[in-house]
Amino acid sequence: MSIGHALLGLLEGGPRHGYDLKRAYDERFGHDRPLHYGQVYSTLSRLLKNGLVSEAGVEAGDGPERKRYAITDAGVTDVERWLGTPEKPEPYLQNTLYAKVVLALLSGRGATEVLDTQRAAHLTTMRDLTKRKADGDLADQLICDFALFHLEADLRWLELTAARLDKLAQEVRK
């Protein structure tokens, strides 16, 4: 995800300082990968340099003074452009798991074991996500559904590959 665009989108609600932006980002998007403060401030610095945000004053606090940032008209336009641009569908044609299966077959090792081990890992992750989804709010439910649907597709591929393993072994050993 574009951190810069996420911060710009959060600034559309009104001026904020870096600490507030980090907290809002982590609350909305960073459950599994929170932002580091350095990442927030380096991104804000770049957005400021590019004219997408401006300084909107300074707040005194218990510690150092905190700069507030506001989105500019150019920043709003940039967010609108980003929101309107579809994400590139990733076909995953260079897949590590496929390479492991082929290399196991080429070396005489068990490709079935590779597939079984991966299937078990996927199922464990799916159970964890299903629990998180059941305990979570709507945002958690949606992000977990996204991940679960991708994992389900991976499981279908694992089953299809397992069914074609003998034929694949013949082809890769030619």
Side-chain angles (χ1 to χ4, degrees):
M1 172 167 48
S2 168
I3 294 168
H5 287 111
L7 295 181
L8 285 172
L10 291 170
L11 283 170
E12 283 191 295
R16 298 180 182 209
H17 52 76
Y19 177 80
D20 283 342
L21 285 168
K22 181 209 175 333
R23 196 174 69 234
Y25 179 95
D26 289 351
E27 182 181 300
R28 300 258 188 243
F29 314 114
H31 292 290
D32 296 318
R33 192 182 293 166
L35 283 179
H36 297 285
Y37 285 105
Q39 198 171 11
V40 172
Y41 291 107
S42 65
T43 302
L44 285 170
S45 177
R46 189 182 77 251
L47 295 172
L48 185 64
K49 184 179 108 184
N50 293 336
L52 302 176
V53 298
S54 63
E55 289 184 15
V58 176
E59 284 183 8
D62 293 338
E65 292 182 335
R66 295 187 256 180
K67 291 181 189 175
R68 292 176 60 82
Y69 297 89
I71 191 168
T72 63
D73 290 342
V76 171
T77 300
D78 197 57
V79 170
E80 288 174 353
R81 188 176 325 119
W82 178 67
L83 291 173
T85 303
E87 292 299 309
K88 181 181 179 211
E90 294 294 333
Y92 302 108
L93 294 177
Q94 293 296 323
N95 184 289
T96 303
L97 184 54
Y98 172 75
K100 286 183 175 185
V101 169
V102 169
L103 291 171
L105 291 171
L106 286 172
S107 67
R109 291 181 178 94
T112 300
E113 289 80 7
V114 171
L115 294 171
D116 289 345
T117 300
Q118 192 62 50
R119 184 180 303 106
H122 269 61
L123 291 172
T124 297
T125 300
M126 290 176 81
R127 278 190 292 275
D128 293 344
L129 286 169
T130 301
K131 181 176 178 353
R132 177 177 167 180
K133 178 181 166 182
D135 297 339
D137 60 9
L138 181 58
D140 249 2
Q141 292 169 12
L142 289 170
I143 198 67
C144 287
D145 281 340
F146 183 84
L148 285 164
F149 291 148
H150 282 82
L151 290 168
E152 286 174 10
D154 290 350
L155 283 176
R156 286 195 312 268
W157 181 86
L158 290 166
E159 296 303 321
L160 179 66
T161 302
R164 295 178 174 173
L165 210 48
D166 291 337
K167 185 174 181 180
L168 181 60
Q170 291 172 0
E171 288 188 19
V172 299
R173 291 182 183 147
K174 287 183 184 178

